[in-house]
Amino acid sequence: MDNYFIQYFKTNVKGMAEFRLNFLFDMISLLVVNSAFYGSVLYLAYTNNGFGDYSFKDITLGLSIMQLGYILGIGFFKGVFDMQENIISGTFDSLLIRPINSFAHMLFSRIDFKVIGEFPPLIILLFILNDISLLPFVLFFGICSAVIFNLSTCLVNCIPFFIEMNNDIESFDITANFSNYPPSIFNDFMKFLGLFIFPGLMISFGPVMILKDNSFAFVYFGFIAILIIAFIIVYNLGLKKYRSAGY
Amino acid sequence: MSEIIKVTGLVKHYRVKEKKGILKDLFSPEFKNISAVDNISFSIDKGEIVGFIGPNGAGKTTTIKMLTGILHPDFGEIISNGFVPYKQRKNYLKKVGVVFGQRKSMWPEISVMDNLELIGSFYNVSGIKLKDRIKELGKLIDISDFINQPFRKLSLGQQMKAELVSCLVYKPDILFLDEPTIGMDIIAKFNFIQLLKKINGDEKTTIILTSHDLSEIENLCKRLIIINHGKLVYDGDFSKIKPDEVIIKWEDKGEIKEKRMKKNKVAKFLEKIDIDTVTIKEIPVEEIIKEFYK
Ligand SMILES: Nc1ncnc2c1ncn2[C@@H]1O[C@H](COP(=O)(O)OP(=O)(O)O)[C@@H](O)[C@H]1O
Ligand SMILES: [Mg+2]
């Protein structure tokens, strides 16, 4: 295989080393913010004995999957989150002047090492979950979550291919908010939004929904398949429409 | 000579919002099409150095972006090095170098060498092969002084040299340079142009470069393509549009006078005036172009 993947990794390590104090500070603040968030949600879930038909354990499981999903999705594929900016400013050109797959390179080009600060909360969540038999489940669906999160982000990030914009559209915050709470607290409309439009619920509690009702697996994997197909079509159309910038 | 690039009837429009006032723009924006490139055709032979000249906004960059596969043309055909750039981008670019003066492709925070390793890996040039090639290129472009410095700390001239080396490591057949000398001082410009000459000579690379300044490429390109408002205005020898007139300045009874005259009349004219006060200038090439731009 190409060795560009290793090269990007090295490049990122060197870039981080150049600004290591920055990195340290970012990492610590991430750790604090996440611990506070999980602490409060889990405390509420614990004292309430879960929310609706989602037990304390279900909630811990959902949050663990989500945490792993975000670590993989944001940490290792940071390039995805610069996509809109790159298309708007025309820096996307620098991918297109190389004999490479522009999407693969965008994916691998940037690693966010401060994601290391996201691991301690994940480990604590897994401790609270306290069920080794669920580890493969968390791992598999954590990867699925990363795929859902990144592909839906990429779809939104294709918008500037088609529409003239001067700022990023942020769908990330809405998606993240949906993923933070179990589906039992939402009404049907909001559940629909959180599953299919801003798929935060898919990222966190979708896999738990499969455990509760196996037939939901069709919806879950069908959704991933549709995301993949939609993205391939939209991205390739986008490349045709790409207009770069005026310099 | 064999043809390496053929462009026929190339057209590219941009749709831009027309400013009609805040409220109107907000609720019923009107759009208009700018013809950035309007029916351009030309062909370029292997080993040529061609200068693309035109004022700002003429459509030079847009043309280069279509030639390199970044943009899809609206109409027209491009065959370059045997490929249709926007359809066969990945295969085509294996043997094509692209440098934009306005936008650097190297990562700012890592060293030039690290950048070269990264970029080399896209073209399967790495390890010893890469080091040997950099050494070989050293005779042409010496970057050893700053190869271990972070890219962002280099001067503009050094950055451009580094970018150029990053293209040459994989021995491209064609080199596209969009305003490569922009922002450089006169000496850096001169050195850079000399460098391109050597690359073209030693490596037999076909070079297409754009500039809005005719004088800087005067010693480099035999052939010139002038575009204005997206249209091709001139395609031919540089020497043909070189003027046969010069500007003479002299002092006459304390008054400074200036006159344009044919070169072959100058000798005679000089006999009549105070020779100590005379200066002779070439007509600025911009002015000659202006005649085309009209
Ligand atoms: N991405 C873009 N969107 C809208 N208009 C553009 C874009 N790029 C270039 N233009 C317009 O197209 C025309 C040609 O631009 P360009 O090719 O950059 O000219 P040059 O490189 O000769 O200065 C200009 O009028 C410019 O404003
Ligand atoms: Mg330009």
Side-chain angles (χ1 to χ4, degrees), chain A residues 2 38 64 102 112 130 149 182 185:
Chain A
D2 300 298
Y38 288 121
S64 307
S102 53
D112 194 353
N130 195 19
F149 179 51
I185 74 161

PDB file of all heavy atoms in Angstrom, chain A residues 2 38 64 102 112 130 149 182 185:
ATOM      1  N   ASP A   2       0.260   2.349  -0.329  1.00  0.00           N
ATOM      2  CA  ASP A   2       0.989   3.628  -0.310  1.00  0.00           C
ATOM      3  C   ASP A   2       1.528   3.882   1.090  1.00  0.00           C
ATOM      4  O   ASP A   2       0.907   3.504   2.068  1.00  0.00           O
ATOM      5  CB  ASP A   2       0.028   4.780  -0.641  1.00  0.00           C
ATOM      6  CG  ASP A   2      -0.601   4.613  -1.999  1.00  0.00           C
ATOM      7  OD1 ASP A   2       0.137   4.603  -2.974  1.00  0.00           O
ATOM      8  OD2 ASP A   2      -1.843   4.507  -2.045  1.00  0.00           O
ATOM      9  N   TYR A  38     -19.835  13.796  31.458  1.00  0.00           N
ATOM     10  CA  TYR A  38     -20.251  12.415  31.737  1.00  0.00           C
ATOM     11  C   TYR A  38     -20.637  12.240  33.203  1.00  0.00           C
ATOM     12  O   TYR A  38     -21.595  11.549  33.528  1.00  0.00           O
ATOM     13  CB  TYR A  38     -19.146  11.424  31.351  1.00  0.00           C
ATOM     14  CG  TYR A  38     -19.000  11.276  29.859  1.00  0.00           C
ATOM     15  CD1 TYR A  38     -17.802  11.554  29.223  1.00  0.00           C
ATOM     16  CD2 TYR A  38     -20.083  10.868  29.091  1.00  0.00           C
ATOM     17  CE1 TYR A  38     -17.675  11.427  27.857  1.00  0.00           C
ATOM     18  CE2 TYR A  38     -19.968  10.743  27.721  1.00  0.00           C
ATOM     19  CZ  TYR A  38     -18.762  11.020  27.110  1.00  0.00           C
ATOM     20  OH  TYR A  38     -18.648  10.901  25.763  1.00  0.00           O
ATOM     21  N   SER A  64     -20.514   5.112  26.154  1.00  0.00           N
ATOM     22  CA  SER A  64     -19.188   4.550  25.841  1.00  0.00           C
ATOM     23  C   SER A  64     -18.993   4.459  24.335  1.00  0.00           C
ATOM     24  O   SER A  64     -17.929   4.813  23.801  1.00  0.00           O
ATOM     25  CB  SER A  64     -19.032   3.137  26.417  1.00  0.00           C
ATOM     26  OG  SER A  64     -19.325   3.134  27.777  1.00  0.00           O
ATOM     27  N   SER A 102      -8.551  12.434  -3.471  1.00  0.00           N
ATOM     28  CA  SER A 102      -8.647  13.626  -2.632  1.00  0.00           C
ATOM     29  C   SER A 102      -9.366  13.322  -1.315  1.00  0.00           C
ATOM     30  O   SER A 102      -9.013  13.863  -0.272  1.00  0.00           O
ATOM     31  CB  SER A 102      -9.362  14.756  -3.375  1.00  0.00           C
ATOM     32  OG  SER A 102     -10.603  14.307  -3.860  1.00  0.00           O
ATOM     33  N   ASP A 112      -5.672  14.593  15.275  1.00  0.00           N
ATOM     34  CA  ASP A 112      -5.748  15.532  16.374  1.00  0.00           C
ATOM     35  C   ASP A 112      -5.285  14.818  17.646  1.00  0.00           C
ATOM     36  O   ASP A 112      -6.049  14.115  18.282  1.00  0.00           O
ATOM     37  CB  ASP A 112      -7.198  15.999  16.518  1.00  0.00           C
ATOM     38  CG  ASP A 112      -7.289  17.213  17.398  1.00  0.00           C
ATOM     39  OD1 ASP A 112      -6.243  17.584  17.977  1.00  0.00           O
ATOM     40  OD2 ASP A 112      -8.378  17.788  17.515  1.00  0.00           O
ATOM     41  N   ASN A 130     -18.557  -2.049  33.500  1.00  0.00           N
ATOM     42  CA  ASN A 130     -18.186  -3.238  34.265  1.00  0.00           C
ATOM     43  C   ASN A 130     -18.719  -4.540  33.648  1.00  0.00           C
ATOM     44  O   ASN A 130     -19.324  -5.360  34.318  1.00  0.00           O
ATOM     45  CB  ASN A 130     -18.710  -3.080  35.721  1.00  0.00           C
ATOM     46  CG  ASN A 130     -18.046  -4.086  36.637  1.00  0.00           C
ATOM     47  OD1 ASN A 130     -16.993  -4.623  36.299  1.00  0.00           O
ATOM     48  ND2 ASN A 130     -18.670  -4.362  37.777  1.00  0.00           N
ATOM     49  N   PHE A 149     -20.844   9.387  12.020  1.00  0.00           N
ATOM     50  CA  PHE A 149     -20.545  10.771  12.374  1.00  0.00           C
ATOM     51  C   PHE A 149     -19.759  11.465  11.260  1.00  0.00           C
ATOM     52  O   PHE A 149     -20.115  12.558  10.811  1.00  0.00           O
ATOM     53  CB  PHE A 149     -19.756  10.791  13.687  1.00  0.00           C
ATOM     54  CG  PHE A 149     -19.379  12.171  14.142  1.00  0.00           C
ATOM     55  CD1 PHE A 149     -20.331  13.165  14.229  1.00  0.00           C
ATOM     56  CD2 PHE A 149     -18.064  12.458  14.475  1.00  0.00           C
ATOM     57  CE1 PHE A 149     -19.980  14.441  14.647  1.00  0.00           C
ATOM     58  CE2 PHE A 149     -17.714  13.728  14.888  1.00  0.00           C
ATOM     59  CZ  PHE A 149     -18.666  14.717  14.976  1.00  0.00           C
ATOM     60  N   PRO A 182     -30.544   9.617  26.158  1.00  0.00           N
ATOM     61  CA  PRO A 182     -31.198   8.414  25.636  1.00  0.00           C
ATOM     62  C   PRO A 182     -32.478   8.764  24.892  1.00  0.00           C
ATOM     63  O   PRO A 182     -33.129   9.761  25.218  1.00  0.00           O
ATOM     64  CB  PRO A 182     -31.503   7.607  26.896  1.00  0.00           C
ATOM     65  CG  PRO A 182     -31.490   8.594  28.003  1.00  0.00           C
ATOM     66  CD  PRO A 182     -30.510   9.647  27.617  1.00  0.00           C
ATOM     67  N   ILE A 185     -36.103  10.145  26.246  1.00  0.00           N
ATOM     68  CA  ILE A 185     -36.514  11.491  26.669  1.00  0.00           C
ATOM     69  C   ILE A 185     -37.064  12.311  25.495  1.00  0.00           C
ATOM     70  O   ILE A 185     -37.550  13.407  25.679  1.00  0.00           O
ATOM     71  CB  ILE A 185     -35.381  12.267  27.380  1.00  0.00           C
ATOM     72  CG1 ILE A 185     -34.317  12.738  26.379  1.00  0.00           C
ATOM     73  CG2 ILE A 185     -34.742  11.464  28.496  1.00  0.00           C
ATOM     74  CD1 ILE A 185     -33.470  13.872  26.947  1.00  0.00           C
TER      75      ILE A 185
END
